[in-house]
Amino acid sequence: MVVAKDIMQPLRRGHVCTAFITVRADTAIDAILEIMNSSNLPVLPVVNNTKHLVGLISKKNIINAIQNRPFAYHKVQESHSLS
C-alpha cells in the first residue's frame, strides 16, 4: 500500500502552513484524496506521530505516483475458466 510518506514533498525551510487539516505520514492515499476533495484543498500538510510537520502532499504528487506505478493502485482481477 502506498502511503503519504512514499510520495510527499519533504519539508523545506520557509514553508508556512495555515491549514488546520493535516494527514499523518502513514495515511492511505485514497483517504488523502477524500480529504482533499471534500475540503477543496490541493495540498495537505503531513505530520508525524508527534504532530510535527514533516512535509506536504499534493494532488500532483499523487498523480505523478500513479503514473509511475500504475499497478500499485489497481487490483488486477484474474479470470478463471471453469473447465
Side-chain angles (χ1 to χ4, degrees):
M1 171 173 71
V2 176
V3 296
K5 69 179 177 181
D6 296 330
I7 61 174
M8 72 180 187
Q9 297 171 348
L11 183 62
R12 292 187 206 118
R13 183 175 276 190
H15 272 143
V16 177
C17 180
T18 58
F20 294 102
I21 299 172
T22 62
V23 295
R24 289 178 31 155
D26 60 354
T27 304
I29 298 307
D30 57 343
I32 293 171
L33 285 172
E34 284 184 35
I35 294 166
M36 287 177 164
N37 289 334
S38 66
S39 305
N40 200 28
L41 295 171
V43 178
L44 290 173
V46 180
V47 297
N48 62 16
N49 292 341
T50 58
K51 299 188 180 183
H52 286 95
L53 186 63
V54 294
L56 301 170
I57 189 163
S58 68
K59 287 184 179 180
K60 184 176 180 179
N61 294 131
I62 295 169
I63 290 167
N64 287 339
I66 291 170
Q67 289 175 341
N68 292 331
R69 296 174 55 188
F71 296 106
Y73 299 91
H74 304 286
K75 289 185 177 177
V76 178
Q77 299 284 332
E78 290 184 20
S79 61
H80 298 287
S81 61
L82 300 173
S83 35

